């Protein structure tokens, strides 16, 4: 969001992907200031913070005699079969089991501190071919919908995209390629099954109208949000 308007000071926080880190360097050059890198908390950090807050909440709870006092003896009797350690485990499980389940498969969202170099980065990407193109009604919005609708593919960075009439070529990080193929292959799209394979063709990065540049992606996102 915006900050520091009307001669007021403020802190600007940007959540960026690895591919966007080079933009940060450009911004630093323009404004003459350095961005401080902060890591997104890991699931372990989240658990620890939640537990600390829960313990603090218990410690600060007012235990002065209230209307529930008459139920206290009955509650104590029911918990007598549990020792202190087990009772604490029951409270922790009741409070945090769902949180742990939600974060069980959470990925590390932190971008690398080193600035992403596009020429070097291309070597870390592979091209994949999907058997859908413009003739099948596939457009950029529909392409990203395939990923966003699949919970196993959320968070995967997609590189440039070439939409051809009969098929499309797109790039992903090399280590995620098999994951993309596995989770897209065989899915029905407009009455036809998706087939995804590795491709030797490189996605065009030079003025090709079919390529999906960072700038056009940002413009499209604004259009979809309206």
């Amino acid at each position: 969001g915006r900050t520091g308007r009307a001669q007021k000071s403020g802190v600007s926080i940007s959540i960026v992907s690895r591919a966007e880190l080079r933009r940060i360097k450009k911004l630093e050059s323009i404004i003459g200031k350095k961005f401080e890198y902060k890591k997104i908390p890991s699931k372990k950090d989240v658990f620890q913070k939640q537990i600390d807050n829960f313990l603090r909440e218990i410690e600060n709870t007012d235990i002065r005699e209230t209307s529930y006092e008459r139920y206290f003896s009955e509650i104590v009797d029911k918990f007598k079969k549990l020792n202190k350690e087990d009772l604490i485990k029951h409270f922790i499980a009741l409070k945090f089991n769902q949180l742990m389940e939600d974060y069980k498969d959470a990925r590390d969202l932190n971008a690398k501190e080193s600035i992403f170099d596009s020429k070097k980065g291309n070597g870390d990407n592979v091209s994949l071919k999907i058997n859908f193109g413009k003739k099948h009604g596939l457009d950029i919005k529909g392409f990203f919908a395939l990923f966003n609708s699949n919970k196993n593919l959320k968070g995967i960075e997609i590189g440039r995209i070439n939409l051809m009439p009969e098929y499309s070529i797109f790039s992903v990080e090399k280590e995620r390629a098999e994951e993309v193929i596995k989770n897209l292959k065989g899915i029905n799209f407009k009455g036809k099954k998706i087939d995804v394979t590795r491709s030797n063709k490189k996605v065009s990065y030079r003025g090709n109208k079919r390529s999906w540049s960072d700038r056009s992606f940002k413009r499209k996102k604004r259009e979809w949000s309206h």
Side-chain angles (χ1 to χ4, degrees):
R2 299 176 184 176
T3 187
R5 291 179 292 175
Q7 298 183 341
K8 293 182 179 180
S9 61
V11 176
S12 176
I13 299 174
S14 297
I15 301 176
V16 300
S17 67
R18 186 181 70 173
E20 294 174 307
L21 289 176
R22 60 183 180 275
R23 290 183 178 175
I24 298 299
K25 278 297 181 185
K26 291 180 181 178
L27 285 173
E28 287 177 338
S29 177
I30 292 170
I31 67 176
K33 291 184 179 293
K34 290 286 185 181
F35 280 78
E36 182 182 357
Y37 179 82
K38 293 284 188 180
K39 285 190 174 182
I40 297 174
S42 65
K43 59 183 178 182
K44 182 178 179 181
D45 296 330
V46 173
F47 292 155
Q48 189 61 57
K49 188 66 176 179
Q50 293 281 356
I51 290 172
D52 290 345
N53 289 340
F54 180 54
L55 295 178
R56 193 176 300 110
E57 184 181 349
I58 292 175
E59 290 175 348
N60 294 331
T61 300
D62 186 358
I63 60 172
R64 289 176 294 183
E65 186 174 339
T66 60
S67 58
Y68 66 79
E69 187 68 26
R70 60 197 176 103
Y71 303 108
F72 181 73
S73 296
E74 182 182 347
I75 295 171
V76 170
D77 287 339
K78 289 183 177 180
F79 280 136
K80 276 183 178 178
K81 62 181 180 181
L82 297 173
N83 60 41
K84 182 174 66 176
E85 286 77 14
D86 286 340
L87 182 59
I88 292 173
K89 287 179 182 178
H90 278 274
F91 273 103
I92 294 296
L94 180 64
K95 182 73 175 179
F96 297 109
N97 269 2
Q98 187 57 53
L99 178 69
M100 292 180 180
E101 182 65 24
D102 291 342
Y103 275 81
K104 181 176 64 176
D105 299 320
R107 299 190 182 106
D108 181 10
L109 299 178
N110 289 288
K112 296 177 182 178
E113 289 185 67
S114 57
I115 298 301
F116 180 81
D117 178 79
S118 58
K119 291 181 181 178
K120 181 181 178 182
N122 293 343
D124 296 329
N125 290 353
V126 296
S127 295
L128 299 181
K129 179 181 178 180
I130 185 171
N131 61 328
F132 280 86
K134 291 181 177 180
K135 283 188 176 180
H136 305 101
L138 182 65
D139 56 13
I140 293 298
K141 187 176 180 179
F143 186 92
F144 277 91
L146 285 175
F147 282 77
N148 294 332
S149 62
N150 191 320
K151 65 179 182 179
N152 296 319
L153 296 178
K154 286 185 177 179
I156 288 181
E157 289 187 17
I158 305 171
R160 303 309 201 273
I161 303 168
N162 278 1
L163 292 177
M164 310 298 286
E166 300 289 346
Y167 62 89
S168 299
I169 304 290
F170 63 99
S171 64
V172 295
E173 292 175 296
K174 187 183 296 183
E175 63 269 21
R176 309 298 294 275
E178 289 303 321
E179 189 177 351
V180 171
I181 293 173
K182 176 183 175 182
N183 286 285
L184 280 183
K185 202 164 189 175
I187 292 177
N188 283 314
F189 180 74
K190 297 191 175 185
K192 182 180 177 181
K193 285 190 176 183
I194 292 176
D195 185 34
V196 186
T197 57
R198 288 177 178 262
S199 174
N200 293 326
K201 293 184 178 181
K202 296 298 181 182
V203 186
S204 174
Y205 287 81
R206 290 186 180 179
N208 190 324
K209 291 182 180 180
R210 298 188 184 97
S211 68
W212 186 243
S213 68
D214 291 341
R215 184 176 298 174
S216 62
F217 175 62
K218 193 172 183 180
R219 184 175 65 252
K220 272 290 183 185
K221 284 202 297 186
R222 287 201 299 269
E223 291 172 2
W224 298 342
S225 65
H226 294 316

